[in-house]
Every structure is written in C-alpha cells, then in structure tokens.
Amino acid sequence: MAIITLTTDFGDRDHFVGAIKGVIYSEIENAIVIDISHKVSPFNIAEAAYILKNAYKSFPEGSIHIIGVDSELTPENRHIAVTIDGRHFIGADNGIISFLAEEIKPEKMVEINIHDRIESVFPVLDVFVKVAAHITRGGTLEVIGKPLDRLKSMTGLKPTANTRETQISGNVIYIDNYGNVITNISRNFFNKYRKGRAFEVQARNHRFTAIYDKYSDAINFNIEKSKRDDDGKKLAIFNSSGLLEIAIYKSNLETVGGASSLLGLSYRDTINVNFL
Amino acid sequence: MAIITLTTDFGDRDHFVGAIKGVIYSEIENAIVIDISHKVSPFNIAEAAYILKNAYKSFPEGSIHIIGVDSELTPENRHIAVTIDGRHFIGADNGIISFLAEEIKPEKMVEINIHDRIESVFPVLDVFVKVAAHITRGGTLEVIGKPLDRLKSMTGLKPTANTRETQISGNVIYIDNYGNVITNISRNFFNKYRKGRAFEVQARNHRFTAIYDKYSDAINFNIEKSKRDDDGKKLAIFNSSGLLEIAIYKSNLETVGGASSLLGLSYRDTINVNFL
Amino acid sequence: MAIITLTTDFGDRDHFVGAIKGVIYSEIENAIVIDISHKVSPFNIAEAAYILKNAYKSFPEGSIHIIGVDSELTPENRHIAVTIDGRHFIGADNGIISFLAEEIKPEKMVEINIHDRIESVFPVLDVFVKVAAHITRGGTLEVIGKPLDRLKSMTGLKPTANTRETQISGNVIYIDNYGNVITNISRNFFNKYRKGRAFEVQARNHRFTAIYDKYSDAINFNIEKSKRDDDGKKLAIFNSSGLLEIAIYKSNLETVGGASSLLGLSYRDTINVNFL
C-alpha cells in the first residue's frame, strides 16, 4: 500500500485531478490516492501550507504528499523533494514545504533533477508522480535529485510581542468552511507570554476574556435548552490545530453568516491579546 | 475490505476531511473510504439525514457510515453507534440516525463511552474512527458503548392529510444540484389517500395533474424534436427516492435556473395535493 | 484491480455519487472508483466531452469510464458502450463519446439492451454499473448490447480557415478553474495553415504575436524579480491539451480575476489567428 495525497489549486471541475490520478494508478502499484484539498485559492501558498500542515500528521510514516500549487518549474521555482517526520513531500520550493519544516528539521532535502528524462504534456505533475513512484519502489531521494542545504522560506506573517510583553499581536491566516477566523497565535506562543495573567483577546471592536478548548465549552448546559440563546454566540478557542480562533457557535455562512462576515474579520487582519 | 463512508458539513477546502482519511488509513487495514457528501449545509441535520438515507442502501451490509454533522460531544449531544439493516452508523444522537431508523427497526443502539481512553486533537472524529476500527475488527457495539432504548427523534416536517381526506400537505425538504424541489410526500403516502381519484398537485400558483415516473415521461417523443419545446418544461415526478419532486426538464441553474428559482419554491414551503 | 471513473453533472452535495459508488463497490470486486468530475454544468455535453477527452488517456488500457451527463434513456437518447484506444466508455449516445472517437476509430460500439433485466430506482446509473461489472468479468460488449454502425455526433464548433488561408477562426470551448480561456484551435490545425508565416492571435481587442509552450515562458527571468511586473500579464499558449489558450499569468478569480473576466471572453466567443 502506497498512500499518496494531493493538495492543489486545480479545483474540482477541470480534468487535471482526474488525469493525475490516472497516471498514479497506471504507474504505482497498490496506490491509494487521497485528496487533501483541490480548493486552495489559485497560487495561494499560505493557504496551501496551512491546510497541508494540519492534515499531514494524520497520515502514516512513509506517506507521500504531492503539492500542485504554484508549481511550474522556472529558474526561480525549483522542484524539490523533502522528507520530514518520516513523510515525503514533493512540490516547488515556494515556501509551502519550508513552512512544514519550521518545527521539525527535515531528514532529507533534494532539488529534483530528472526533468530531461520525462516526456509529458503536463510536466509539473508528471515529474512529481515519477518521483512518488521512485519513492514507493524504495528509491532514495539522492537518485532523483541533488542535496539542498536550505529551502526558500515563506515570507509569512508571524505573531509578535511588544517589548514590555503586555501585548502579543497576530494575524488572520485562514478562514474555514464555517467562516471561523484562524490566527497564527498558537497556544504555545500565548502561554509563553501570558505568565499567569488575566487577558483580553481583541479582534476589531470585539473582546473575549476566555479562550475555550472546544466550541461547546462556551455554553452553559445547566440552563435549560429552551431558555438559552446559544446559536450565533461569538467565542474564542484554541482549535484542533492549537491556534487561536474566533468563532461563532453553530455558524452558518448561508444564513446568519460566520465569524468572518459577522465580526468583520478578513485574511491578514490583526488580532491582539492584551495581558492585564 | 472495510467500506467506510463519510457524510459531513466540513466542506472540501479545509484540512478536516483529509485528516480523517489519514487516520482511517493509518488505523484500519484494507479500508476503502468513500465520500457521500461534505457539502451538507453547516449543522443542517435534515439535509444530512436526507442525503444519507438515499445513499446508504446502495452500500453492502457491514459497511460503516460516519456522520460528521453537529457532532461535538455535549451533555445534550451524545455519541451513538447504531446498526440498522446490517449497516453501522456512527454519529451524534441529534436526529440524523433516528431518521434512518424510522422505517427499519435498529438491530443495536449504544451510547459510545470510550471518550476518556482517547488522546486526540480532533476528538469527535477520532472517537468515530476508533469505533469504526473496532467494528472492522469484528468487535461488538456493547464493548464500546452502553445499550440505548431510544434515540432522539428529529423534529422534522411530516406530511399530513385533512380530516375529510380531500387534501394532503407536505413540505419542501431538499433542493438538489439541478434546482429540483423534493418534498416529503412519498409515493406510499400519496397512494394511501388517493383511492383512485384524480388529483392536482399545487405548488404556489403552479398546478400539475400528472406525476411521472421519470423526467422524460413528460415529453412526447412522437412529435419531431425540432417541433417540441421541452427544455424548461415544468413537471412533477416521483423521484428515485420515491418522493414527490417538482422539476424543470433539463434545468440549468447557471443559465435558465431550476424549479426552485423559476417556480419560487424554497426549503420548508408547503406543497398540497388536492383529490378531486 | 478494476479502474472505473465517473464523469457526471451530479454535483458533490446530493446523494447520487455516493449511491453509485456504493453499488460499484457492492458489485465489482477490487474496484477502484475515481472521480474525474461531478461539476460538469447540468446537461452540458461539450463540457463533459472536453473534460473526459483530456483525462481518459492518463488511465491505463482496460479502464472503464462511466458518463452520467444527459443520460436518461429516451427514444432519442440510447445507451451505448464503446471501446476506444483500449478503454471502455459507457453513457448515452448524445455526442460525448463520439467526440472522443473523432481522432481514434472505436474498436467496438454497441447499443446497450439489458434494461428489461434490471430492477432499480436509479436505472440510468444502475444499467451503466451493470455493464461495467460485465466488462470487469471479462465479458464482451456484444453480450450486453447490439453492434452499432455509427454514433450521434456532437454538433460542436469546429475551427475553420478562410479560402485564402490568411485567417483561421475558432471558438472558446471551455473556461478553466483559473479563468483561462481554452479554444478549439489545436497546435496541429494552427501549424497546418501557418506555413512559416508570422501571425497575430486576436481575441476581442486583445492581440498576441507569440504562443508559448508554458505559462512561465512569457516571463523574462533575466530581469530581477522585484523589477518585473509579471502577475496579471496576459499571454497565449498551447496548453497541456495542445489547444490554443488565452491566459493571465498567475490569475486569481477571487481577487484580480482571470482571462475570461479580465479580457471579456465567454464560452463560444470567436478567436481569430491572422497570418501576416
């Protein structure tokens, strides 16, 4: 069994994803192809990095992760294969894979150099599938690429603390299917600066004095259901990725809206935490 | 081979679905994971129930169906596992599974009680995957839960008949990909009250005196094609789920629109059948 | 291993696709079902034909391709099974399969005639799955259908040349996930009339004097990145399907827009190439 995932900005209407799967099933025995997402916004590296970082750890060691976002080969956009935490990643050196490697040092990093050996109408992905096939046959990365010392890093937004350490500031990095707003402030970063103090999360003119561990912790189940007015309640939680998230309880984008629209929070907006 | 389906409101852009599949393929040997739908409207129990009810019977006995809609564990939202008609369903006790059990008495119903044994960043789904893994290993539901007497029923819309039985009334319960409008009036319910009489289906100011068995039955193929004006014709049928549906022949939501927009019919709207 | 693909206009919210997969996995041993697309615009034969034509060649010989677009059985819409280039196609005789057969003569063509033997609530697809199951068991098409001499051809748009051969004219046949505009002018057709002359591609009031082989060929990498203004640059290429495409470099439909919206090009619009 060879588990291969796809994370792309190809969408789900065109022939691209189907064609790639056809090649994988033609060339790789016992392949299982799993879509992580094909709905990354076109060329959006930050979004692809966020999605893949939150998905890949669920896959077993040895799994192969192909990334088809901003992956056309150019002098400024090399193709790379990198092993991190026992999993293999194949894509362009555009910041996505280096984002995954922020916390865990890669075991191997190579620049793929087999392009001249491949006849193809869809070279970017054909190259990646060839590399995946090589790995599933037990091949080493050195055979299909030359070792790299470093990856291009994503010029991403990072949370900061002021000098007196009374405030930390982060940004909205993702808005999910429910309209919930995810920031780059991790539980670890928050705890490092909190030092036991009370705090206030500030997102535009909205304030939160508690950060929950799950959505329903914001609800008081001792009050009878018919007497509560929970749906639509705004709250802050550390989500399943360990990141500070501003959410609306049981939000529905199609009817009442989600945190993003209701609270006026967009991609890259600043979120502050003030320690009191 | 262990067939596991997913019906969720997670959408297809975020990492959630990929992460769950990663866990399933890591923990369950020979798993085949099949997406039923990830486009259920957020927290929409009625929609999830309709979709799953119409899909599950196509799957073989022994198949496992995980439901990720409104599934956060709370004092009011227990996790359950239920066997109906040889298939296993895992989700929250929020009305979805009880809707499936309306016509077929469940063989087994338990409240899942393994939550304290699970370390996880995504507890709801991790719990469900653990239960699925248990079932694929031949385990019984009693080992992972305690028997239940009854499920929470969905406070759904049900069709009614007036006392003189001259009229039955139902509601729009689903609008499909073509904009066709599906009601909760089943062929059985209709036949029970019809008693051989002529009838008129009334949906707002539109009236239908025939209910077809397939879309093209509304078309007269004895007339030459160039002389017919079929596309866009409104009609009533009993659809493949056995429910009364108001449709537009070869509707296209992107151009002319579907029955919902063209006839002004929305979710929960009333549809009447008058017997003459 | 039996590879079966699905190309439909069923969308990804309703139960239809899940139900079909359930039947396939119930009836066909070792099946691998691959979605090519479920987002074909409703009843859009040209779109389905374009998507499938560009995807199917990636699949191995022996693969089976089920087409669920405009497939209701009527006196004017027969069900057919056709073998082309070692792959099997099952669908309605509405022009989609004949489009695939334009360049490669089919090895076998039959009209399916097993409808009376099938009990089903969803006959169209059940019939197709039955035929697929028959093929995976090594059965011949003659057993499930009667030989056909010809298929109904798609009354599609074809590129033309003027009598003096100073101009060729084609049409927009597809707009992809990036908003790029794909025409029916193939590299072969272009080369046949070019005869070494200079040329100008004309799309509305936009003109292009070069047709690239890949998107990044439009970029001059000798200029330092910070001094270039590449994103949003309009260009013409022969795409991975060998068709003339008008594109925007790194277009994003959600922000700046794609070639279709920015250049005002829609489905069926005319694109000319003038030879100078």
Side-chain angles (χ1 to χ4, degrees):
Chain A
M1 193 176 72
I3 289 182
I4 298 168
T5 80
L6 302 176
T7 304
T8 79
D9 61 0
F10 296 160
D12 57 5
R13 191 171 63 101
D14 299 347
H15 64 277
F16 302 121
V17 174
I20 291 162
K21 290 182 182 173
V23 177
I24 293 177
Y25 284 108
S26 298
E27 302 199 356
I28 302 178
E29 216 173 340
N30 293 318
I32 293 177
V33 184
I34 296 162
D35 303 304
I36 290 184
S37 182
H38 299 295
K39 292 292 191 68
V40 174
S41 303
F43 303 99
N44 193 322
I45 288 172
E47 209 175 281
Y50 175 81
I51 293 169
L52 189 52
K53 185 169 193 172
N54 284 297
Y56 90 83
K57 287 175 191 169
S58 299
F59 288 87
E61 294 203 10
S63 56
I64 298 170
H65 305 272
I66 291 178
I67 306 159
V69 177
D70 186 28
S71 58
E72 199 175 64
L73 183 71
T74 75
E76 291 163 357
N77 207 35
R78 305 174 299 182
H79 286 169
I80 59 176
V82 179
T83 304
I84 306 171
D85 201 12
R87 284 89 172 170
H88 310 287
F89 298 87
I90 308 169
D93 186 17
N94 56 18
I96 297 172
I97 297 177
S98 68
F99 179 76
L100 304 177
E102 264 182 3
E103 292 160 21
I104 301 170
K105 196 177 141 53
E107 293 146 40
K108 273 190 192 172
M109 305 192 288
V110 304
E111 178 181 352
I112 297 168
N113 59 8
I114 57 166
H115 299 83
D116 51 348
R117 283 182 258 156
I118 290 168
E119 280 288 330
S120 160
V121 289
F122 192 0
V124 172
L125 269 292
D126 283 351
V127 168
F128 296 173
V129 173
K130 282 280 183 304
V131 172
H134 172 76
I135 294 171
T136 62
R137 288 188 302 262
T140 61
L141 297 189
E142 290 82 355
V143 173
I144 51 81
K146 63 169 213 275
L148 276 176
D149 286 337
R150 49 180 304 197
L151 304 179
K152 199 187 288 182
S153 64
M154 185 154 59
T155 53
L157 302 161
K158 287 195 168 54
T160 55
N162 64 354
T163 27
R164 289 184 302 139
E165 300 194 351
T166 55
Q167 185 186 63
I168 55 177
S169 299
N171 299 87
V172 175
I173 57 167
Y174 193 78
I175 293 166
D176 76 10
N177 185 55
Y178 304 88
N180 292 334
V181 165
I182 292 133
T183 76
N184 55 359
I185 298 176
S186 68
R187 189 195 297 265
N188 285 347
F189 190 83
F190 171 85
N191 281 338
K192 182 177 157 195
Y193 289 98
R194 180 180 181 182
K195 294 165 190 159
R197 291 176 286 181
F199 64 88
E200 186 185 68
V201 177
Q202 179 197 341
R204 292 182 70 104
N205 57 338
H206 308 284
R207 281 149 209 282
F208 306 86
T209 55
I211 304 178
Y212 297 106
D213 284 321
K214 54 181 202 168
Y215 301 100
S216 57
D217 284 349
I219 308 306
N220 184 349
F221 288 98
N222 293 324
I223 302 172
E224 204 183 307
K225 189 169 183 180
S226 59
K227 292 184 180 149
R228 299 194 314 257
D229 186 21
D230 301 328
D231 293 9
K233 184 173 182 176
K234 65 185 183 190
L235 60 102
I237 72 162
F238 283 117
N239 69 13
S240 58
S241 309
L243 295 173
L244 177 63
E245 174 180 316
I246 311 297
I248 296 288
Y249 191 64
K250 296 204 176 178
S251 58
N252 186 336
L253 292 183
E254 291 165 33
T255 54
V256 290
S260 171
S261 55
L262 290 173
L263 308 183
L265 294 168
S266 302
Y267 181 59
R268 299 182 79 93
D269 279 0
T270 300
I271 308 284
N272 295 315
V273 181
N274 299 308
F275 297 110
L276 311 175
Chain B
M1 192 175 73
I3 289 182
I4 297 169
T5 79
L6 301 177
T7 303
T8 80
D9 61 0
F10 297 160
D12 58 3
R13 192 171 63 100
D14 300 347
H15 64 277
F16 303 120
V17 175
I20 291 162
K21 290 182 182 173
V23 176
I24 294 177
Y25 284 108
S26 297
E27 301 199 356
I28 302 179
E29 218 174 338
N30 294 318
I32 293 177
V33 184
I34 296 163
D35 303 304
I36 289 183
S37 181
H38 300 294
K39 293 293 190 67
V40 173
S41 304
F43 303 99
N44 194 322
I45 288 173
E47 209 175 281
Y50 176 81
I51 293 170
L52 188 52
K53 185 168 194 173
N54 283 298
Y56 91 81
K57 287 176 192 169
S58 298
F59 288 88
E61 294 202 8
S63 55
I64 298 170
H65 305 272
I66 291 178
I67 305 159
V69 177
D70 184 29
S71 57
E72 200 175 62
L73 183 70
T74 74
E76 291 163 359
N77 206 36
R78 304 173 299 179
H79 286 169
I80 58 175
V82 178
T83 303
I84 306 171
D85 201 11
R87 285 87 173 171
H88 309 287
F89 298 87
I90 308 169
D93 186 17
N94 55 20
I96 298 173
I97 296 177
S98 68
F99 180 75
L100 305 177
E102 265 182 3
E103 293 161 20
I104 301 171
K105 195 176 140 58
E107 293 146 40
K108 272 189 193 174
M109 307 192 289
V110 304
E111 177 180 353
I112 298 168
N113 58 9
I114 57 167
H115 298 85
D116 50 346
R117 284 182 257 156
I118 289 169
E119 280 288 330
S120 160
V121 288
F122 192 0
V124 173
L125 269 292
D126 283 352
V127 168
F128 295 172
V129 173
K130 283 278 183 304
V131 172
H134 172 76
I135 295 171
T136 63
R137 288 189 303 261
T140 60
L141 297 190
E142 289 82 356
V143 173
I144 50 82
K146 65 169 210 277
L148 276 176
D149 286 336
R150 49 180 304 194
L151 304 179
K152 200 188 287 183
S153 64
M154 187 155 58
T155 53
L157 303 160
K158 288 195 167 56
T160 55
N162 64 355
T163 26
R164 289 185 302 140
E165 302 196 350
T166 56
Q167 185 186 62
I168 55 177
S169 299
N171 299 86
V172 175
I173 56 167
Y174 194 78
I175 293 166
D176 77 8
N177 186 55
Y178 304 88
N180 292 333
V181 166
I182 292 132
T183 76
N184 54 0
I185 299 176
S186 69
R187 190 195 296 265
N188 286 347
F189 190 82
F190 171 84
N191 281 337
K192 182 177 158 194
Y193 289 99
R194 181 182 180 182
K195 296 166 189 161
R197 291 177 284 181
F199 63 88
E200 186 186 66
V201 177
Q202 179 199 342
R204 291 182 71 103
N205 56 338
H206 308 283
R207 279 148 209 282
F208 306 85
T209 54
I211 304 178
Y212 297 106
D213 284 322
K214 54 182 203 167
Y215 302 100
S216 58
D217 283 349
I219 308 305
N220 184 349
F221 288 100
N222 293 323
I223 302 173
E224 205 181 305
K225 189 170 183 178
S226 58
K227 291 183 182 149
R228 299 195 311 257
D229 186 22
D230 301 328
D231 294 8
K233 184 172 182 175
K234 65 185 183 191
L235 59 104
I237 71 163
F238 283 117
N239 69 13
S240 57
S241 310
L243 295 173
L244 176 63
E245 173 180 318
I246 310 297
I248 296 288
Y249 191 64
K250 295 204 176 179
S251 59
N252 186 337
L253 292 182
E254 292 166 30
T255 54
V256 289
S260 171
S261 55
L262 291 172
L263 308 183
L265 294 168
S266 303
Y267 181 58
R268 300 181 77 94
D269 278 1
T270 299
I271 309 283
N272 295 316
V273 181
N274 300 308
F275 297 110
L276 310 174
Chain C
M1 191 176 73
I3 289 182
I4 297 169
T5 80
L6 302 177
T7 303
T8 80
D9 61 0
F10 297 159
D12 58 3
R13 192 171 64 99
D14 299 347
H15 64 277
F16 303 120
V17 175
I20 291 162
K21 290 182 181 172
V23 176
I24 294 177
Y25 284 108
S26 297
E27 301 199 357
I28 302 179
E29 216 174 342
N30 293 319
I32 293 178
V33 184
I34 297 162
D35 303 304
I36 289 183
S37 182
H38 299 295
K39 293 291 190 70
V40 173
S41 304
F43 302 99
N44 194 321
I45 288 172
E47 210 175 281
Y50 176 81
I51 292 169
L52 188 53
K53 185 169 193 170
N54 283 297
Y56 91 82
K57 287 175 192 170
S58 298
F59 288 87
E61 293 202 9
S63 55
I64 297 169
H65 304 272
I66 291 178
I67 306 159
V69 178
D70 185 28
S71 57
E72 199 176 62
L73 183 71
T74 74
E76 292 163 357
N77 206 35
R78 305 174 299 181
H79 286 169
I80 58 175
V82 178
T83 304
I84 305 171
D85 203 10
R87 284 88 173 171
H88 310 287
F89 298 87
I90 306 169
D93 187 17
N94 55 19
I96 297 173
I97 296 177
S98 68
F99 180 76
L100 305 177
E102 265 183 1
E103 293 161 19
I104 302 170
K105 195 176 140 56
E107 294 146 39
K108 272 189 193 172
M109 306 192 288
V110 304
E111 178 180 352
I112 298 167
N113 59 9
I114 57 167
H115 299 84
D116 49 348
R117 283 182 259 156
I118 291 169
E119 279 289 327
S120 160
V121 288
F122 191 178
V124 172
L125 268 293
D126 283 350
V127 168
F128 295 174
V129 173
K130 282 281 181 304
V131 173
H134 172 77
I135 295 171
T136 63
R137 289 189 302 261
T140 61
L141 297 190
E142 289 83 357
V143 174
I144 51 82
K146 65 169 211 274
L148 276 176
D149 285 335
R150 50 178 306 195
L151 304 179
K152 201 188 285 183
S153 64
M154 186 154 59
T155 53
L157 302 161
K158 288 196 166 56
T160 55
N162 63 356
T163 28
R164 290 183 302 139
E165 300 194 351
T166 56
Q167 187 186 62
I168 55 177
S169 298
N171 298 86
V172 175
I173 56 167
Y174 194 78
I175 293 166
D176 77 9
N177 186 53
Y178 304 89
N180 292 334
V181 166
I182 293 132
T183 75
N184 54 359
I185 298 176
S186 69
R187 190 195 295 266
N188 286 346
F189 190 83
F190 171 85
N191 282 338
K192 181 178 159 195
Y193 289 99
R194 179 180 180 183
K195 294 164 189 161
R197 293 176 284 181
F199 63 88
E200 186 186 67
V201 177
Q202 180 199 341
R204 292 182 71 102
N205 56 338
H206 309 283
R207 279 147 209 284
F208 306 84
T209 55
I211 304 177
Y212 297 107
D213 284 322
K214 54 182 202 169
Y215 302 101
S216 58
D217 284 350
I219 308 305
N220 183 350
F221 288 100
N222 293 323
I223 302 172
E224 204 182 307
K225 188 169 182 177
S226 59
K227 293 183 179 148
R228 299 196 311 258
D229 185 20
D230 300 328
D231 293 7
K233 185 174 180 174
K234 65 184 181 190
L235 59 102
I237 71 163
F238 283 117
N239 69 13
S240 58
S241 309
L243 295 173
L244 177 62
E245 173 180 317
I246 311 298
I248 297 287
Y249 191 64
K250 295 201 177 181
S251 59
N252 185 335
L253 291 182
E254 291 166 31
T255 54
V256 290
S260 171
S261 55
L262 291 171
L263 309 182
L265 294 167
S266 303
Y267 181 59
R268 299 182 78 94
D269 278 1
T270 299
I271 308 283
N272 294 315
V273 182
N274 300 308
F275 297 110
L276 310 174

